[in-house]
Amino acid sequence: MKATVVTYGCQMNEYDTHLVESQLVSLGADLVSSVDEADFVLLNTCAVRGKPVEKVRSLLGDLRKVKAQRPLVVGMMGCLAQLEEGQQMARKFQVDVLLGPGSLLDIGAALESNERFWGLQFKDELHAHIPPAPTGKLQAHLTIMRGCDHHCTYCIVPTTRGPQVSRHPDDILRELDSLLTAGVQEVTLLGQNVNAYGVDQGARLAGYPTFAELIRMVGRSGVQRVKFTTSHPMNFTEDVAAAIGETPAMCEYIHLPVQSGSNRVLRRMAREYTREKYLTHIEQIRRHVPHAVLATDIIVGFPGETEEDFQDTLSLYDEVGYDSAYMFIYSPRPGTPSYTHFQDLPREVKTERLQRLIVKQKEWSARKNAAKVGTVQQVLLRGDAHDPAFLEGHTSGNHPTVVPKALGADRPGIYPVRIGHATPHMMYGQILGPDGQPLPERPRHTPEAAALSSPLQMA
Ligand code: SAM
Ligand code: SF4
């Protein structure tokens, strides 16, 4: 069987795609990169906003036409699969396999079945399952928990992914070990709310560390770099900031979604913290991690958001001085409390506010990135940039970075780079040698240069 998985949405979905792809390979499937070559197409879906849902609907429509012309098995997994909205789509577009986020390990049973297979249970076996390490990659995701116990009024995730279940620390450390053996240098710990790790449905689990303790344990494993996402301010503790500060492997990139700077909106979102409390966490982070690079998520145009509320978000942005932000227009999702109880704002109001927020974000990113010019950053270089004379990667602060290929830096890895130029979205620099001077650039456009570049092109 030739199979392909098309992934929408967050890093959690990327992790699940890797897990399911590994299962498919162990079942004897060949993974192919395009839908045209495949006889099994599996869509790993996202239901957090309306746009990714519409993308899935459109691809399912195309696949139904293909199915009319040749044998093709179509599957749907991820958040949308768990919802009535997704199941209606699955019926309409003749989806053969439907796997909710808790039933991914049913993929084998689904493919063996001669009938339509729908798996929508949340199964415990998933939490102990350890997918094989990705081969040849320097970066990997590592899920430490699934589901979410919060009930933010705009969010569909607690419905699609169920209540929070923390993975046992032994399973996490075993998976980490296999990633390190496979050569992974940077690991991103994943969960909807990593700060609540070890406390499921309000109860602390015996034998589980806190998230701060888990950071310290992971830091002792020998991994070079660790990041995490997502960190909910409600469960953030100063000990998490302290653990980041004292653990050399922890990246200085810290993503702490605020969603809004207005206490009135935060209350309507049921975020369970105030602007003042959030700023206390920022102060703790800055104290324990002096070079912290701060990122956030912001939703603009939440129902009932006034111009004054939006001004509070803009002023909070200035007060924190974020390095970057993921900015979203509020998207009403059927099944969420805000969809049921609140009136959506006009589209023009939401888009106009987003434009103003983007201007603010660009100003701050430009200012923050410009301050890095002249500094030396440790950059994880993954492989060729768009222009193959250059390599791309990212700093420990998660800044996308591009450097010219250099002699003596032949393998993907973490290199010191002096930043020479920065835009709001990109940094440019040169790889430094052991003497602190830039390594000579590789000659371009010659057969020798092409030959020399091959190891990194493989990355
Ligand atoms: N658990 C994370 C937290 O609480 O910070 C967030 C996970 S959510 C999948 C990722 C981001 O999507 C959220 O931080 C929020 O900004 C955005 N989001 C979620 N629901 C949304 C909605 N209905 N409309 C717009 N953005 C939304
Ligand atoms: Fe959604 Fe809130 Fe849970 Fe994050 S914490 S996944 S935004 S309900």
Side-chain angles (χ1 to χ4, degrees):
M1 189 208 335
K2 291 187 175 162
T4 195
V5 185
V6 182
T7 310
Y8 300 90
C10 63
Q11 288 164 311
M12 199 72 109
N13 268 13
E14 286 172 30
Y15 178 90
D16 285 345
T17 288
H18 172 66
L19 187 154
V20 167
E21 283 180 344
S22 312
Q23 294 289 106
L24 287 168
V25 170
S26 71
L27 293 165
D30 288 329
L31 294 179
V32 291
S33 51
S34 89
V35 168
D36 294 342
E37 294 169 78
D39 38 38
F40 176 43
V41 177
L42 181 58
L43 310 190
N44 189 0
T45 61
C46 170
V48 168
R49 283 172 290 277
K51 231 183 210 166
V53 173
E54 287 320 307
K55 283 188 186 162
V56 169
R57 190 191 301 280
S58 152
L59 182 50
L60 284 177
D62 293 346
L63 291 173
R64 186 172 56 177
K65 288 183 202 145
V66 177
K67 260 179 105 139
Q69 287 158 11
R70 66 173 175 92
L72 177 71
V73 178
V74 175
M76 203 171 148
M77 61 183 265
C79 284
L80 189 55
Q82 195 69 29
L83 296 175
E84 181 51 36
E85 186 182 9
Q87 289 153 27
Q88 275 177 14
M89 257 186 230
R91 281 189 282 269
K92 177 171 172 192
F93 294 107
Q94 296 156 16
V95 167
D96 307 285
V97 172
L98 192 86
L99 295 177
S103 285
L104 302 182
L105 294 176
D106 283 353
I107 184 74
L111 289 176
E112 268 172 25
S113 161
N114 291 324
E115 300 173 348
R116 200 175 69 166
F117 184 100
W118 287 23
L120 296 169
Q121 288 155 340
F122 290 95
K123 297 194 173 169
D124 285 346
E125 66 206 44
L126 192 56
H127 307 297
H129 178 79
I130 297 181
T135 44
K137 298 246 170 82
L138 294 185
Q139 294 168 273
H141 297 127
L142 174 43
T143 287
I144 64 166
M145 66 217 290
R146 288 177 177 271
C148 179
D149 285 341
H150 283 276
H151 295 283
C152 304
T153 52
Y154 52 81
C155 185
I156 198 69
V157 169
T159 310
T160 60
R161 289 191 169 259
Q164 177 179 309
V165 181
S166 302
R167 286 180 83 195
H168 195 278
D170 290 350
D171 291 329
I172 296 172
L173 293 178
R174 218 169 320 129
E175 187 164 332
L176 177 61
D177 215 37
S178 84
L179 295 176
L180 298 184
T181 307
V184 166
Q185 298 191 2
E186 183 184 281
V187 171
T188 305
L189 307 178
L190 297 181
Q192 289 303 338
N193 176 10
V194 291
N195 298 321
Y197 173 78
V199 185
D200 294 352
Q201 292 104 73
R204 167 145 296 288
L205 303 171
Y208 284 59
T210 62
F211 182 56
E213 288 159 358
L214 186 70
I215 286 178
R216 295 182 177 104
M217 287 161 80
V218 167
R220 287 193 289 271
S221 68
V223 62
Q224 296 206 41
R225 275 188 181 188
V226 187
K227 294 187 285 192
F228 57 84
T229 196
T230 303
S231 173
H232 192 301
M234 153 74 184
N235 303 93
F236 187 90
T237 62
E238 181 160 7
D239 198 28
V240 170
I244 299 169
E246 72 198 44
T247 305
M250 288 307 293
C251 288
E252 67 235 35
Y253 174 76
I254 300 176
H255 178 222
L256 194 64
V258 69
Q259 314 298 357
S260 169
S262 152
N263 280 338
R264 207 179 65 86
V265 174
L266 287 172
R267 215 168 29 246
R268 283 164 66 85
M269 289 176 164
R271 285 293 284 179
E272 303 176 82
Y273 53 84
T274 59
R275 172 191 178 108
E276 294 71 27
K277 185 84 188 150
Y278 181 89
L279 288 169
T280 308
H281 298 321
I282 295 292
E283 182 273 316
Q284 289 166 344
I285 291 171
R286 293 224 186 274
R287 193 150 31 83
H288 290 279
V289 192
H291 299 293
V293 171
L294 288 165
T296 197
D297 289 359
I298 295 175
I299 297 178
V300 296
F302 187 73
E305 182 189 75
T306 61
E307 176 60 26
E308 199 182 342
D309 293 320
F310 180 62
Q311 288 297 332
D312 284 347
T313 296
L314 294 179
S315 73
L316 180 97
Y317 206 112
D318 286 332
E319 208 163 331
V320 176
Y322 291 108
D323 293 76
S324 63
Y326 297 95
M327 297 160 287
F328 307 105
I329 282 186
Y330 169 73
S331 172
R333 300 301 303 128
T336 59
S338 64
Y339 175 87
T340 311
H341 300 296
F342 299 152
Q343 175 80 40
D344 197 10
L345 288 178
R347 176 111 210 137
E348 317 78 74
V349 173
K350 298 197 285 186
T351 38
E352 192 272 337
R353 285 183 189 160
L354 180 67
Q355 293 313 325
R356 278 192 278 159
L357 185 62
I358 290 172
V359 169
K360 167 107 20 223
Q361 175 266 322
K362 275 198 183 149
E363 279 168 16
W364 271 105
S365 295
R367 198 183 306 179
K368 292 281 180 166
N369 289 0
K372 297 271 188 275
V373 172
T375 65
V376 177
Q377 301 288 323
Q378 299 301 317
V379 179
L380 187 150
L381 293 171
R382 289 184 296 274
D384 281 9
H386 185 62
D387 177 342
F390 292 82
L391 300 169
E392 67 180 8
H394 58 280
T395 66
S396 163
N398 219 28
H399 304 96
T401 306
V402 168
V403 297
K405 283 183 178 167
L407 295 168
D410 289 334
R411 301 182 66 76
I414 299 173
Y415 291 93
V417 167
R418 188 178 303 284
I419 305 300
H421 174 65
T423 69
H425 301 299
M426 190 65 76
M427 295 201 187
Y428 302 87
Q430 288 175 297
I431 305 176
L432 302 182
D435 59 357
Q437 295 305 309
L439 292 173
E441 284 183 30
R442 278 190 186 160
R444 296 181 202 173
H445 310 305
T446 63
E448 292 86 330
L452 277 169
S453 69
S454 57
L456 276 156
Q457 281 171 349
M458 297 294 288

